[in-house]
Amino acid sequence: QKEVEQNSGPLSVPEGAIASLNCTYSDRGSQSFFWYRQYSGKSPELIMSIYSNGDKEDGRFTAQLNKASQYVSLLIRDSQPSDSATYLCAAQIYNFNKFYFGSGTKLNVKP
Amino acid sequence: DTGVSQNPRHKITKRGQNVTFRCDPISEHNRLYWYRQTLGQGPEFLTYFQNEAQLEKSRLLSDRFSAERPKGSFSTLEIQRTEQGDSAMYLCASSPKGQSQETQYFGPGTRLLVL
């Protein structure tokens, strides 16, 4: 079992819709969680971080964390074609200074 | 440009050759990470430095891989006797001192192709 699991997709949504991306993690020692966006051939770019249970909003993005269920999600409202990319979920086990990444979910936003 | 920089951006080598990559982190970031990413996968953790000390090393890192950060600034990753399976994107990331929950900033990566 991988430390962080994501559905590889692709997830296709029409422009203007809400895209919902999900991630589960296996290590209950994970304390911090991150969502990165990666365009093809480029390096990951941080979108959001979340550390506490509940929701965290930043513009069109909302991250949700449920530690009891070991579940992290990212909602993208009013999706734009420029949001089309691979979204990587990462978990940090703080005391060990390691980050574990999922394999990413490819999002396609159709005009 | 004050972001993380990596050189070279691309490297093509023949199997059995040695290669070395360089990473310059964001100024004053004391934490530095190396990752490897293959097509369709997320970045895999390789190693971590806090200042010049290498504090974590993945079991994925065979004896052919070595990393250094001699003065706590730039870092190098060397792969000896390269194999075709080493072909991947090698990513470096840095994070600043003092944050209890780290935010990593990635460099553009070095794409390695072993023929």
Side-chain angles (χ1 to χ4, degrees):
Chain A
Q1 182 186 8
K2 294 187 68 175
E3 287 84 1
V4 177
E5 300 270 7
Q6 293 181 256
N7 187 321
S8 62
L11 172 67
S12 292
V13 300
E15 184 175 356
I18 296 175
S20 178
L21 304 161
N22 304 314
C23 165
T24 58
Y25 61 95
S26 60
D27 193 328
R28 287 191 177 273
S30 302
Q31 296 174 295
S32 305
F33 304 89
F34 305 84
W35 283 100
Y36 286 84
R37 176 174 61 199
Q38 188 172 31
Y39 293 111
S40 181
K42 302 295 185 182
S43 59
E45 172 192 11
L46 180 69
I47 298 175
M48 290 192 71
S49 57
I50 186 166
Y51 317 117
S52 304
N53 279 328
D55 296 358
K56 179 182 178 182
E57 186 174 320
D58 183 0
R60 296 187 296 114
F61 299 97
T62 298
Q64 299 172 318
L65 173 60
N66 184 326
K67 290 188 176 181
S69 301
Q70 295 177 244
Y71 178 88
V72 191
S73 67
L74 179 70
L75 300 177
I76 306 175
R77 289 181 298 280
D78 188 24
S79 296
Q80 302 297 309
S82 59
D83 294 327
S84 297
T86 296
Y87 288 79
L88 298 164
C89 174
Q92 180 191 16
I93 301 175
Y94 177 63
N95 289 340
F96 296 97
N97 289 298
K98 285 186 179 179
F99 289 77
Y100 294 100
F101 283 81
S103 57
T105 298
K106 187 170 184 178
L107 173 66
N108 290 328
V109 181
K110 298 182 177 179
Chain B
D1 186 350
T2 58
V4 179
S5 62
Q6 292 186 245
N7 288 288
R9 297 290 306 277
H10 302 273
K11 180 71 178 179
I12 300 174
T13 191
K14 293 182 178 179
R15 188 167 52 117
Q17 297 295 303
N18 299 344
V19 294
T20 300
F21 309 141
R22 175 176 170 130
C23 171
D24 288 88
I26 294 172
S27 180
E28 298 182 355
H29 279 197
N30 71 330
R31 296 172 180 173
L32 187 147
Y33 297 78
W34 283 100
Y35 293 87
R36 178 175 65 189
Q37 187 175 25
T38 54
L39 197 62
Q41 299 298 314
E44 288 180 288
F45 171 83
L46 293 178
T47 191
Y48 158 71
F49 289 86
Q50 183 164 312
N51 299 312
E52 67 275 10
Q54 187 175 21
L55 299 184
E56 291 286 342
K57 190 174 177 181
S58 168
R59 288 169 292 179
L60 296 171
L61 221 60
S62 73
D63 291 343
R64 297 184 298 106
F65 287 72
S66 63
E68 294 183 341
R69 195 182 182 197
K71 297 183 179 179
S73 57
F74 73 92
S75 176
T76 57
L77 178 68
E78 182 182 15
I79 309 174
Q80 296 182 327
R81 305 181 302 282
T82 52
E83 301 173 356
Q84 288 182 325
D86 297 331
S87 295
M89 173 79 89
Y90 290 83
L91 293 163
C92 175
S94 68
S95 64
K97 178 180 180 180
Q99 288 189 342
S100 58
Q101 291 103 7
E102 296 190 21
T103 298
Q104 295 182 92
Y105 299 87
F106 281 86
T110 295
R111 188 172 296 280
L112 173 66
L113 178 61
V114 182
L115 300 176

